[in-house]
Structure formats: C-alpha cells, structure tokens
Amino acid sequence: MEKKATRVAYGEYLAKIGYTNEKLVVLDADLAGATMTQYFKKEHPDRFFDCGIAEANMVDIAAGMSTMGFTPFCSTFAVFAGRCFDQIRNSVCYPKLNVKFAFTHAGITLGEDGGSHQAIEDVALMRALPNMTVLAPCDANETARCVDAALAINGPVFIRLARLPSPVFEMDMPFTLGKVNVLRHGADALVLCYGVMVSECLAAAELLSARGIEITVVNVHTLKPFDEDGVRALAAATPKVFTVEEHSVIGGLGDAAASALVGMDGVRLTKLGVKDVFGQSGKPADLLKAYGLDAQSIADVIAR
C-alpha cells in the first residue's frame, strides 16, 4: 500500500489549486521545507511569504491579508500553536477572519525531535476557540478534502497534519464536514480515531478479528464541530466505546466523545492517548508502542 505523509499531500495540493485560486496566499515561519509549503513557493513565488521564526507576526499578517480579500494558509509545526495562540485567538477567531492554519508534525509520531516538539495539546487549544473549525485527515486523499472544506468555510480553520508517512487508503472514503465516517462495522466495540491513528485502529481490528472480536472503526476527521448525534447513535448500538489519538487524553477526541456520551445509560468510554505526560525522543513505531498506541496495544486493551 502506498504511503504518504499528510504534510506532503498538503503541500502538493496547495501548489495544484494555486493555479485556479488566485486569492490563495501561503505564509510560513521558516519551515517551508518541513511543512511542504515549499511546493507552493516554487510554483507561486509571488504569493508565498516566509515570515521567519515569528509565528505571531505570521498570524497577524495573515489576518490583515484576509481583510483584503485573500485566503491565507499559515503553516508551521503544530507545537508552535502555543507560540501564536494569542494572535490566533484575538486577531483571527475573535473577529472571525478567513484565515486557515495547516500545522504539521503533530503528535508523538514526529519522532526523534522529542517532547519539546511533539504537539500533544494542539487539538485541545484549537477546539476551545469559538469560531474555529478543527480537521484532522487520516491520509493523503482526505488531506485534499480537508483543504477544500477549509476553503469553503468563511472563517478560521485548523488542519492537523503529520510528519509520518501513512497508508493512502484504497477504500471508499466519503468526506462530509462535521460527520463521522464508519470504516468498518463490528458489534463488540466502537473505536473512534483520527489522523495516523486510523491505520493503527484498522490494523488492530484485523488482529481482533483473528481472535473472534469484531469492532466498528470510525474516522472522526472533524473534531469541531463534533458529530455528537452520529457518535451517540453508534454508541447506542455498540456501548463499549474507545477513543484513540496521538494527543493528550485531556481536551482532545476523548473529551469531545465524553461530552457527547454523558448521560447515556450503559455506555462505557475508555480514552487511549498520551496520559498527561510529554513525549520523548524515539522512532515513531517505538513511541507508539511505548504510549500504547500501536495496533497490538490497542487490540489488547479492547480485548480485555
């Protein structure tokens, strides 16, 4: 199966649509070679702006450009969402300006750069902001759909992208903003996931099937607005619920699901993610195993 990082798919798609969307501008914080906005820079140099290591300035520049009719995409590492949070909050979300944030290298699968650069709180930060839409594609194809969805929204959007190459799914992957996507059906457990965790959860489903356990795997590509009705309907049929994310168990998908499921009789929710600790340096596969987020570890927890 082909593998491609969502950050690469993002950069390639931006460069492609730059030919038909003349209002699209791209800003980066001295990381174009890592966020892959270098592709847009090469094809459309007059609409690419390197703001240097100054994320706060980048966001404010983008806010100003949006008031002039442009559609800015800002990119940097996801961990630096905290560095420019005040500007995202007050310069973009508060006035509801049309600025998009596609931040890469999210989660512990960033790998060897370690805990200082592994964003495990970015979803929590962005979900808490009024007027912000939060998207997290699971593969290269869905990345393009997230960019299209962001362009269709007149307001702030945050897209969470990964460094790690992940499978490009051959299965039909419909995309409807704000609606969950069921990838596999099973009566024994319901698993909600997003981003690179989708492939791990599908692999866990295969391991469990060999043990006679069938699970429903759901891709939650839209973390805000959260599909509460869809998740509640699924949990009503399969009340043993798990959330899986390479993000803190605080403030991410797990808490979004908990808010949706509160008050439902018989539903039991287990949150799998980073347990209120920082990341550490290591190979992505080793880190997933260390934090209980590889396919085998996920399968073992579900089977208990």
Side-chain angles (χ1 to χ4, degrees), residues 231-237 260-268:
V231 169
R232 287 175 66 88
L234 290 166
L261 299 174
V262 67
M264 288 188 67
D265 293 337
V267 174
R268 189 183 74 188

Side-chain angles (χ1 to χ4, degrees), residues 20 95 151 154 168 204 222 227 232 235 252 254 298:
T20 55
L151 287 168
N154 184 23
V168 180
T222 307
D227 187 6
R232 287 175 66 88
I298 295 166

Side-chain angles (χ1 to χ4, degrees), residues 27-209:
L27 298 84
D28 206 295
D30 197 38
L31 289 168
T35 65
M36 297 300 161
T37 59
Q38 62 181 350
Y39 296 127
F40 188 93
K41 178 182 180 180
K42 179 180 178 181
E43 300 297 325
H44 315 284
D46 57 324
R47 287 184 281 142
F48 177 85
F49 303 90
D50 190 336
C51 301
I53 306 173
E55 286 81 0
N57 290 346
M58 175 180 70
V59 173
D60 279 343
I61 292 167
M65 294 177 112
S66 73
T67 67
M68 300 170 66
F70 293 100
T71 304
F73 270 77
C74 293
S75 291
T76 186
F77 289 173
V79 73
F80 298 144
R83 184 177 287 178
C84 53
F85 182 78
D86 181 50
Q87 287 72 29
I88 294 174
R89 182 191 189 276
N90 286 324
S91 298
V92 176
C93 287
Y94 186 61
K96 197 178 179 181
L97 296 183
N98 191 35
V99 179
K100 320 303 175 185
F101 305 96
F103 286 7
T104 69
H105 293 64
I108 58 172
T109 55
L110 166 61
E112 290 85 348
D113 287 357
S116 64
H117 280 59
Q118 292 165 356
I120 56 168
E121 66 291 308
D122 53 311
V123 171
L125 287 172
M126 296 300 117
R127 281 187 61 240
L129 287 172
N131 297 324
M132 180 67 86
T133 297
V134 182
L135 306 174
C138 69
D139 74 349
N141 294 329
E142 196 166 70
T143 298
R145 296 186 178 110
C146 284
V147 172
D148 286 341
L151 287 168
I153 295 169
N154 184 23
V157 179
F158 179 82
I159 305 175
R160 189 183 209 241
L161 301 169
R163 178 189 192 184
L164 181 71
S166 55
V168 180
F169 296 110
E170 298 176 358
M171 69 178 74
D172 182 35
M173 193 81 72
F175 182 94
T176 302
L177 184 73
K179 298 295 181 183
V180 297
N181 182 17
V182 179
L183 303 180
R184 180 181 178 127
H185 292 274
D188 295 317
L190 170 63
V191 178
L192 309 174
C193 51
Y194 63 90
V196 299
M197 288 293 93
V198 170
S199 61
E200 293 294 333
C201 289
L202 287 171
E206 292 294 332
L207 295 173
L208 288 165
S209 183

